[in-house]
Amino acid sequence: MADSGTGFRAAWRHAPGPMAALTVSVPAASAAALLLPAAAAEAVDTILDGGGAGSALPPLAAVLALGLIAALLGELAGPTLTAALTARLRGRLADHVVALGTGGRNPYPEGDVTGRLVGGAPDAARLVPALIGTLGALATSLGGIVALGLLDPWLAVAFVAGLVPALVIVRTFMVHATDLNERYQKVQARISARLADALGGIRTIRACGTRDREESRVLRPLPELSAVGHGLWRAQRRAVAQILLLAPVVELAVLSVAGWALSEGRIPPGDLVAAAGYAALGLGFLEQLESLVGVAHARAGRRRTDELLSVPVAPHGTKRVLPPGRGELAFRNVSVRAADDRPLLSGVDLTVPAGTCLALVGTTGSGKSLLAALPGRLHDPDEGEVLVDGLPVAALAQGELRRAVAYAFPDPALLGSDLRDALGYGRPGAGAGEIGRAAAIAQADIFVLRLPDGYSTPVEGLGLSGGEVQRLGLARAVAQDARVMVLDDATSGLDMVTEHQVMDAFRRRLAGRTRIVVAHRAAAAAQADRVAWLDAGRIRALGTHEDLWDDADYRAVFASSVSSTASGAVSGFVSGAVSGAVSGAVSGAASGAALGTVSSSASRPPIGPPVEDAR
């Protein structure tokens, strides 16, 4: 299992100041605690021997001052160290989660991951301060036992006789508390995961009026959470009760032996006071149940963060320079299996020549989005390889891979301080001219320039429609200036006219760019050079949209969208009217009305011979 980096070596390496302060303050506090009974005993003996308070109290005051200063330093150093380790661990977890991506490598749902980041990380980061505090208490207790033995060996024997059952109680409590804390955090994570799902579908919940049902679903694990919490409380209550019963017995036994030793003249009166103090210190470790709960909580948090960090990340390659080429994309015998070994893609062999626009078409679950995820390593194949210009994408360093493959998604997240920053997110350092050109190609400059601050408009709180956000996502992909662009249903929120304008701009102004388009509409497939028709994880056929349209099963792929005939007729008309190409208009309007497609008479580069019909 991976190390979360919240141990002692990590603390010294990443937060040496707070760690040093804590490792000095805790022993100093223990030393002060151990010196205090001796100082009190000395003061008592001095006064009983006729010495004045002026000579008896200064050593006692010095010990008290040392204890106070050490305690204050520890109170400052502990939270500071925890904060430093929490920040570092959260950064590691965030980097790891991003590296895992969305390709099935991360087995934990979003809410669970959020719980580990928000709750598990600070819990794990408290482990070192909690252990140092517990070790300090243990050292103080052991010191108290040793001091009892130095006063009189029988005092130590009396104390140890009562200590053994107390240690058994503490050990049992620690094991039980760690398990309960881990269960508690897991149930919390399940609630967080359900809440995240509900928030993601809040519009559907409101539209369906199912708020009460969703509240019940999200909070269904609450009784289990309550039961585990009560179990932890009962375990703590039971351990405290047992120790509270045992502690007075141990103290009484020590004081009885001390009184007997005093009566026989083996110890002076001051040592009786010291014996009482050292007995209390010896039992102090057993009374630190709150600290032990903290250690158990920290151990549970560390287990959960270690679990997430242990999920393997696919390593990046070392090639930092792309080979010469214009973006030829090749899939060589690619297969992908689900966690239950069910095939999702099977033996896909496909070459996409540079500058070609290939549409991936298929019913839900056919594997088109999964295939589109492979070039950018959002998912890795279980067998086979994917190549860009003859080089396996797995051999590329992370930065070079991002320069090779760009993505646009149906629900793009706008990351950055303002729109200019968001559009250049995939290509830091892109100039204003490059950003503006990308926005113009994606038809996004039309509304961006109408904003009061234009490209300097802050992203936070920006109210845009789904289609406008999609156009910004497309612009970001264009600005990345990659050899291969993958549009995974990235125009689904656009109206038909805007979608045609965007795709037409892509065809004209990005003519040399290889494009993979996951198409759900007949119009989008019709504007591609070639179509790869996927069925059950295999390429069923490869050809132009016009040729494939003769197959009734192919037409059925688009049956769930708007009427194919109507959309084809309208899009064909728009294609001819907007582009102004007479041949495109005639072909588009005619074939669109007849076949529900968009056509163009422009010659298109071949991808290869059509795949045999697998029916």
Side-chain angles (χ1 to χ4, degrees):
M1 184 173 286
D3 184 4
S4 59
T6 55
F8 285 92
R9 282 189 296 181
W12 276 112
R13 187 164 57 250
H14 300 288
M19 186 64 178
L22 197 61
T23 52
V24 168
S25 63
V26 171
S30 295
L34 291 170
L35 289 173
L36 186 59
E42 182 66 25
V44 169
D45 287 340
T46 300
I47 293 174
L48 290 178
D49 290 342
S55 60
L57 295 182
L60 184 61
V63 172
L64 290 172
L66 174 63
L68 178 61
I69 294 171
L72 289 175
L73 183 60
E75 288 296 319
L76 291 173
T80 304
L81 177 60
T82 299
L85 294 179
T86 298
R88 179 178 178 275
L89 179 54
R90 280 179 173 163
R92 283 190 63 200
L93 288 170
D95 289 344
H96 192 74
V97 170
V98 171
L100 288 175
T102 58
R105 300 189 192 102
N106 188 352
Y108 303 109
E110 292 180 8
D112 183 83
V113 171
T114 301
R116 294 171 196 253
L117 274 166
V118 175
D123 285 342
R126 293 188 187 99
L127 183 60
V128 167
L131 283 175
I132 290 176
T134 303
L135 289 173
L138 176 60
T140 304
S141 296
L142 291 176
I145 298 171
V146 171
L148 285 173
L150 292 176
L151 292 177
D152 189 290
W154 288 106
L155 294 175
V157 171
F159 185 90
V160 171
L163 184 64
V164 173
L167 290 176
V168 173
I169 294 171
V170 171
R171 169 64 180 168
T172 303
F173 169 75
M174 282 295 297
V175 172
H176 195 36
T178 298
D179 291 340
L180 287 172
N181 270 294
E182 189 169 3
R183 284 180 56 196
Y184 192 88
Q185 292 179 19
K186 286 181 178 179
V187 178
Q188 276 187 319
R190 278 168 38 205
I191 295 175
S192 297
R194 295 183 181 202
L195 180 59
D197 291 341
L199 292 175
I202 192 68
R203 288 187 297 179
T204 301
I205 294 169
R206 293 185 63 183
C208 295
T210 56
R211 188 189 69 177
D212 293 342
R213 192 165 67 193
E214 274 304 299
E215 287 181 354
S216 175
R217 184 185 71 86
V218 171
L219 298 178
R220 195 167 296 142
L222 203 57
E224 184 181 356
L225 186 74
S226 176
V228 176
H230 279 83
L232 182 61
W233 180 80
R234 284 193 297 271
Q236 185 173 353
R237 180 187 62 183
R238 184 167 54 250
V240 168
Q242 290 170 340
I243 286 177
L244 287 178
L245 289 173
L246 188 61
V249 174
V250 175
E251 288 182 326
L252 183 60
V254 171
L255 289 176
S256 298
V257 173
W260 170 58
L262 177 64
S263 66
E264 292 192 345
R266 294 202 309 270
I267 62 173
D271 283 359
L272 181 63
V273 176
Y278 286 130
L281 290 178
L283 291 170
F285 174 72
L286 303 179
E287 295 171 357
Q288 297 294 317
L289 277 186
E290 186 175 349
S291 298
L292 296 177
V293 170
V295 172
H297 208 71
R299 288 174 62 190
R302 183 169 180 174
R303 282 184 189 175
R304 288 177 52 74
T305 54
D306 286 350
E307 280 178 351
L308 181 55
L309 290 171
S310 295
V311 180
V313 174
H316 286 281
T318 57
K319 297 287 185 181
R320 298 188 178 278
V321 179
L322 283 167
R326 295 173 49 244
E328 180 186 79
L329 186 62
F331 300 86
R332 294 285 179 260
N333 196 31
V334 167
S335 295
V336 178
R337 293 183 295 274
D340 59 0
D341 211 36
R342 177 172 46 90
L344 302 177
L345 289 174
S346 301
V348 175
D349 268 304
L350 178 65
T351 298
V352 186
T356 298
C357 178
L358 174 71
L360 302 179
V361 169
T363 56
T364 300
S366 61
K368 53 187 181 297
S369 289
L370 179 56
L371 184 64
L374 299 181
R377 300 194 67 192
L378 303 185
H379 201 120
D380 283 329
D382 295 306
E383 297 174 7
E385 60 182 358
V386 183
L387 303 94
V388 173
D389 289 320
L391 182 68
V393 293
L396 288 171
Q398 185 173 8
E400 201 64 19
L401 179 60
R402 298 299 160 239
R403 286 186 285 274
V405 185
Y407 279 86
F409 301 104
D411 298 306
L414 299 180
L415 306 173
S417 56
D418 56 28
L419 288 179
R420 183 176 290 105
D421 191 23
L423 296 185
Y425 187 79
R427 187 185 170 195
E434 294 168 309
I435 297 296
R437 174 180 175 274
I441 292 174
Q443 307 297 304
D445 62 333
I446 300 171
F447 63 86
V448 171
L449 294 176
R450 289 201 298 262
L451 296 172
D453 297 319
Y455 289 95
S456 298
T457 302
V459 170
E460 187 175 358
L462 184 62
L464 296 175
S465 69
E468 288 172 333
V469 173
Q470 277 194 347
R471 280 184 274 174
L472 290 174
L474 289 164
R476 179 174 59 197
V478 174
Q480 198 167 327
D481 197 29
R483 296 186 185 186
V484 178
M485 286 185 59
V486 181
L487 311 182
D488 187 356
D489 201 23
T491 60
S492 58
L494 307 184
D495 61 80
M496 198 172 298
V497 174
T498 304
E499 181 183 33
H500 174 78
Q501 291 172 341
V502 169
M503 298 307 292
D504 184 63
F506 274 38
R507 184 171 55 249
R508 289 184 293 103
R509 303 181 66 175
L510 301 174
R513 196 82 60 86
T514 305
R515 283 167 286 139
I516 304 296
V517 179
V518 177
H520 292 82
R521 295 177 181 174
Q527 295 186 55
D529 298 314
R530 289 281 173 149
V531 174
W533 176 15
L534 277 80
D535 186 9
R538 297 180 179 273
I539 296 182
R540 177 167 173 173
L542 188 66
T544 65
H545 176 73
E546 291 85 344
D547 292 340
L548 296 175
W549 192 259
D550 291 332
D551 192 314
D553 288 347
Y554 179 78
R555 293 196 301 272
V557 170
F558 305 100
S560 59
S561 59
V562 185
S563 171
S564 299
T565 302
S567 71
V570 174
S571 59
F573 175 81
V574 172
S575 173
V578 174
S579 67
V582 175
S583 60
V586 173
S587 175
S591 64
L595 302 175
T597 182
V598 179
S599 177
S600 172
S601 62
S603 64
R604 292 165 177 160
I607 285 186
V611 175
E612 291 295 328
D613 193 329
R615 288 174 295 173

